[in-house]
Amino acid sequence: MIKQVVHIENIERNGIKQQFQIKLPNNAKRILAIKITANPFDRTWESKFESEIGWLWLRLPEERDVFYAHKLSTYKDNYNLTLPSINEINPFGSNEFKQHGKKEVFQSISAELKTNILEGYYIDRIYSQRSKYQLRIYLKLEL
């Protein structure tokens, strides 16, 4: 059986280095896929293209090694960001709302679980503004 789990970390200040643990179900056998999202910028912020949001590492305690590392950036992870100042050629109409970004998808991984604890470490890389946001970690588990 496949189950999805979401873990949310609140990022309260810029430049924070945060350690956390994710408790998984006791009957979880393997992590099949993962998806990470964070969107600290809203459409009213003037510099929509700051390059980095943060760095994330996940590891299994019994393995003592990182099994997943990810660099979150606005170009890849800022979904549904609207850019009203960009004019596109639109042959189907002129007064339409435009969306920019890319589809959110899970990354396939295969990590055997011998424990129900996952350890994480996150470093926020935003220094230009004071921003509070949520880091979301979605996991697909095999039970």
Side-chain angles (χ1 to χ4, degrees), residues 16-143:
I16 194 169
K17 296 175 182 172
Q18 191 162 321
Q19 288 183 304
F20 55 90
Q21 290 184 332
I22 301 172
K23 185 161 172 48
L24 302 174
N26 288 331
N27 58 348
K29 298 176 187 170
R30 192 162 51 115
I31 300 173
L32 301 173
I34 190 167
K35 178 174 67 169
I36 312 294
T37 62
N39 195 351
F41 309 122
D42 61 8
R43 67 178 63 129
T44 61
W45 188 50
E46 62 277 356
S47 177
K48 294 176 176 61
F49 294 112
E50 184 167 337
S51 61
E52 288 182 339
I53 295 175
W55 300 339
L56 173 73
W57 294 269
L58 296 175
R59 74 180 190 106
L60 299 168
E62 71 274 0
E63 298 294 328
R64 298 289 178 208
D65 197 12
V66 172
F67 77 93
Y68 184 79
H70 185 64
K71 174 184 164 186
L72 285 84
S73 64
T74 56
Y75 297 108
K76 180 180 176 188
D77 299 318
N78 211 351
Y79 304 103
N80 295 328
L81 176 68
T82 59
L83 303 173
S85 61
I86 294 179
N87 295 326
E88 292 183 354
I89 298 172
N90 187 359
F92 302 109
S94 59
N95 295 326
E96 294 181 1
F97 186 71
K98 305 209 177 18
Q99 290 279 41
H100 300 268
K102 83 184 239 190
K103 183 180 176 183
E104 293 184 24
V105 293
F106 277 87
Q107 277 184 313
S108 295
I109 59 171
S110 180
E112 296 291 327
L113 297 172
K114 297 176 186 159
T115 182
N116 64 337
I117 298 291
L118 193 64
E119 295 175 344
Y121 185 67
Y122 181 74
I123 298 175
D124 179 82
R125 300 284 296 162
I126 301 170
Y127 297 109
S128 65
Q129 75 169 24
R130 293 185 181 166
S131 175
K132 293 183 181 180
Y133 61 96
Q134 291 182 331
L135 170 72
R136 290 184 176 94
I137 302 168
Y138 301 89
L139 299 168
K140 274 190 192 174
L141 304 173
E142 177 185 334
L143 303 180

